[in-house]
Amino acid sequence: MLLACATLAVSGDARKAQRAFEQGIHLEQAGHWQEAYDAFSASLNEEPAAQAYLHRAKTQLALALPEKAIDDLTEAIRLEPKNPDALRWRSETYAKLGNYRGVISDLTALFEQGVETSVLYSQRAAAHELLGQHQLAVDDYGKAIKLRLDDPAPWKGRGTALSAMGNYRDAIDDFTQAALLKPDDTAAYLERGFAFGQLGEFPHAVEDCDRVLKLEPKNGRAYMLRGAAWARLGLYEKSVADFDRAIEISPGDAALYLGRSSVYAATGENQKALADRIEAVRLRPDSAEALLARGGSYHALGMHEQGLADRAAAIKLKPEMPEVWCARGSAYFLLGKYKEAADDLNHALRLRPDYQEARNVLAKTQEAVARAQAIDAPPIMAAAVAAKAAPEAAKPVEPKAIVKAEVKPAKPVIVESRNVESKKAESKIVEKSAAQHNQAGRELLNQGKYREAVEELSAALKEKPDFTLALNARGFAWYLLKDPKKALADFDEAIRLNPKYLNAYQNRAKARKASGDAAGSAADEEKARELTKGS
């Protein structure tokens, strides 16, 4: 169609094209999309022009024809390669169609032209995040934050990406900043509560879920996360009550039944656990996790053949998952089929060499084989074999079911492309990134290795001098090393870069107090209280 339009345009009339284009603009502004489309088509039949293609694409988007809009936007960009509107509209249309490479490519082209906004960097970051490119997402969210310190969205987005990387402590800092900027943002509290839970700080997780439920009394995910936290605190009645409420809100969510079943299993209510897991499998027959859990309940009730069948079905669904092989190996062990058990357990260990549970069950399997061999051996040999194989009762293996919330950044979406950012990432394959140095430094800090922490955090700052998280962490390390002067320098710089950095104010208050500056310490504590209001 586009080629036909171009051919007709050779002998077209520029005046007719202009009149039809102007008519299309008026119809577009009035919301008469089909008529506007026809007018722009008439204009293009007379003379091909980037603006006509661009506006006809807009009418096609309004008429729910995104594939045709892509064709017109591509033609507009061919005629005007640096048309920012065409690139931006095409990136958004690619996102709707799931063409993530196209989105990254178009946004990168905009950035190379100097068209940089916080929103555009957040869009590319969100796309990287959905592709599992967490570090690229963190980098782009950082650029978005630098452009708009007062916008909570990129803070929350970066927190989500950090959380997906397992960097929960830094994620908590970002979610706190997002909540400071937007105190009624339940998503920030919810994701911070999830991060607290992953760090084992379950009381804090409960507090954040409480905040969410005050603002949104029917937030099912908040009930689910709080229920999981109560369970880890040993408060099983509260946990079941929260899962009950979550199931009332979302009765079709298999994860909620699995979560509640784990609480029932922990309290020995195996029949209730089995009932929940049967329902979870009914809702998600394609879930290997649900089948594994139901198999565990069958084994707990002595129904080993049913348990074996569930675990075999789970292997068909996810043969790359070491847990399914370990689970079926455990089932074979309980049924006395030791050769089959050893085969499955060894396969689990090939998939994950450090899988301790599989190694433990394999050791029991080998002991059982040794005892069996001792029965048929001559008396002296039997005694020697039996001495090596101390008998131990077989126990059903209850799969570890931890309720984990899905972390999904906001749309639009994107895929890996050969763009500027990915090339930068490739050039650092053999080197630690700033984020990796920062994470390593914080881990050393938690281990009490303060000098080593300073080295890692300094390496992070060498690569990224405006890395406020690393500045704050290094400042705290200096403080613990009894060097308040260096600590204050780092806290001052972190606060200069981010005047609303709550944790940096709290830490600087301590460093000022240690250096004898009582007035400065009090001022920082007051500032921290101001920032905490509503967070």
Side-chain angles (χ1 to χ4, degrees):
M1 183 184 73
L2 295 178
L3 289 173
C5 289
T7 302
L8 289 170
V10 172
S11 58
D13 187 319
R15 291 180 183 177
K16 287 183 180 179
Q18 183 62 27
R19 284 197 298 271
F21 177 77
E22 290 173 357
Q23 182 184 16
I25 293 293
H26 289 306
L27 290 165
E28 177 189 309
Q29 291 171 346
H32 300 311
W33 301 110
Q34 185 59 56
E35 293 88 339
Y37 171 84
D38 294 339
F40 291 129
S41 295
S43 176
L44 288 166
N45 283 336
E46 297 296 334
E47 183 177 54
Q51 286 302 308
Y53 280 116
L54 183 64
H55 283 274
R56 189 171 72 170
K58 187 175 181 180
T59 68
Q60 288 167 332
L61 289 172
L63 292 168
L65 298 170
E67 293 88 352
K68 290 186 176 181
I70 287 291
D71 290 341
D72 275 0
L73 290 166
T74 300
E75 189 63 17
I77 292 167
R78 185 186 69 79
L79 293 169
E80 292 183 10
K82 293 187 177 182
N83 188 309
D85 289 334
L87 286 166
R88 181 172 54 81
W89 285 7
R90 191 173 68 173
S91 73
E92 293 175 0
T93 308
Y94 275 143
K96 292 176 183 177
L97 294 172
N99 183 347
Y100 308 140
R101 287 185 184 275
V103 182
I104 286 182
S105 177
D106 282 352
L107 289 175
T108 302
L110 282 172
F111 297 149
E112 288 172 352
Q113 292 178 34
V115 180
E116 297 179 299
T117 69
S118 178
V119 170
L120 292 176
Y121 274 117
S122 288
Q123 287 176 353
R124 192 172 72 173
H128 284 310
E129 178 66 3
L130 289 175
L131 288 170
Q133 300 168 343
H134 306 305
Q135 186 55 59
L136 290 176
V138 167
D139 292 342
D140 270 354
Y141 279 127
K143 292 172 184 175
I145 289 168
K146 195 170 183 179
L147 290 169
R148 279 289 305 276
L149 275 172
D150 61 337
D151 183 0
W155 289 103
K156 186 169 61 177
R158 190 173 69 176
T160 299
L162 289 166
S163 186
M165 293 170 67
N167 191 351
Y168 299 114
R169 186 61 63 193
D170 288 346
I172 287 169
D173 285 348
D174 275 1
F175 291 134
T176 299
Q177 290 297 318
L180 284 167
L181 293 166
K182 189 177 179 183
D184 61 347
D185 188 348
T186 55
Y189 294 123
L190 206 53
E191 300 310 331
R192 188 174 69 177
F194 172 78
F196 276 130
Q198 298 308 301
L199 291 172
E201 298 177 19
F202 302 113
H204 289 315
V206 168
E207 288 173 4
D208 273 347
C209 290
D210 286 344
R211 290 175 186 269
V212 173
L213 291 168
K214 283 180 182 177
L215 294 166
E216 294 181 6
K218 292 186 178 181
N219 190 308
R221 187 161 174 248
Y223 281 112
M224 178 186 73
L225 291 179
R226 192 174 70 175
W230 287 133
R232 297 300 296 271
L233 290 168
L235 299 171
Y236 298 118
E237 287 186 11
K238 287 187 174 184
S239 177
V240 169
D242 273 355
F243 278 114
D244 287 346
R245 186 76 180 94
I247 288 170
E248 286 176 16
I249 294 167
S250 303
D253 190 343
L256 299 176
Y257 290 97
L258 289 177
R260 188 173 68 179
S261 75
S262 295
V263 183
Y264 284 140
T267 57
E269 297 185 75
N270 293 319
Q271 288 289 357
K272 289 184 177 181
L274 177 59
D276 271 357
R277 289 167 177 178
I278 288 171
E279 180 63 12
V281 172
R282 186 188 72 78
L283 291 167
R284 286 289 310 278
D286 61 339
S287 169
E289 291 79 3
L291 285 164
L292 276 187
R294 188 175 72 175
S297 284
Y298 280 135
H299 286 302
L301 292 166
M303 303 164 71
H304 300 311
E305 291 292 348
Q306 292 94 321
L308 177 64
D310 271 357
R311 291 170 173 194
I315 286 175
K316 287 183 179 179
L317 288 170
K318 281 195 176 179
E320 75 283 359
M321 184 177 172
E323 288 84 359
V324 296
W325 294 95
C326 179
R328 191 174 71 172
S330 299
Y332 278 133
F333 173 76
L334 291 168
L335 289 165
K337 298 181 178 182
Y338 301 128
K339 180 182 180 303
E340 293 88 342
D343 289 344
D344 277 0
L345 294 163
N346 279 315
H347 190 76
L349 287 167
R350 281 193 292 274
L351 291 170
R352 188 196 300 168
D354 62 345
Y355 196 174
Q356 192 57 48
E357 184 179 349
R359 199 170 297 284
N360 292 342
V361 180
L362 181 60
K364 293 177 183 179
T365 302
Q366 292 167 339
E367 290 169 3
V369 170
R371 288 196 299 273
Q373 290 172 344
I375 294 174
D376 297 325
I380 295 176
M381 186 181 295
V385 173
K388 293 181 180 179
E392 184 173 348
K395 296 180 182 178
V397 178
E398 170 64 31
K400 297 177 181 177
I402 300 174
V403 178
K404 291 188 74 174
E406 293 277 334
V407 180
K408 297 181 180 179
K411 292 182 178 180
V413 285
I414 305 175
V415 216
E416 182 177 6
S417 73
R418 304 293 294 177
N419 57 28
V420 174
E421 291 303 315
S422 62
K423 288 177 183 176
K424 287 181 181 178
E426 289 171 5
S427 71
K428 294 185 179 181
I429 289 175
V430 295
E431 299 180 4
K432 280 187 180 178
S433 69
Q436 289 172 322
H437 280 300
N438 176 55
Q439 188 168 357
R442 284 173 174 261
E443 288 171 359
L444 290 165
L445 197 58
N446 291 335
Q447 295 168 19
K449 299 176 180 179
Y450 307 136
R451 289 285 177 194
E452 294 92 332
V454 166
E455 290 177 7
E456 286 288 348
L457 294 164
S458 296
L461 290 163
K462 185 177 180 181
E463 291 190 25
K464 189 176 179 183
D466 62 348
F467 199 167
T468 54
L469 296 172
L471 282 165
N472 183 48
R474 189 176 70 176
F476 194 62
W478 285 126
Y479 168 73
L480 294 171
L481 287 166
K482 312 295 184 187
D483 193 335
K485 184 177 180 181
K486 289 181 179 178
L488 285 170
D490 279 348
F491 295 141
D492 288 345
E493 180 63 8
I495 289 168
R496 185 188 70 79
L497 291 167
N498 178 9
K500 293 186 178 181
Y501 198 164
L502 171 63
N503 192 237
Y505 281 107
Q506 293 170 329
N507 288 335
R508 192 171 70 176
K510 296 174 185 175
R512 282 180 164 176
K513 187 174 182 180
S515 65
D517 182 5
S521 176
D524 276 348
E525 288 174 353
E526 179 59 30
K527 181 64 176 178
R529 279 192 291 272
E530 289 177 14
L531 291 172
T532 303
K533 289 178 182 178
S535 69

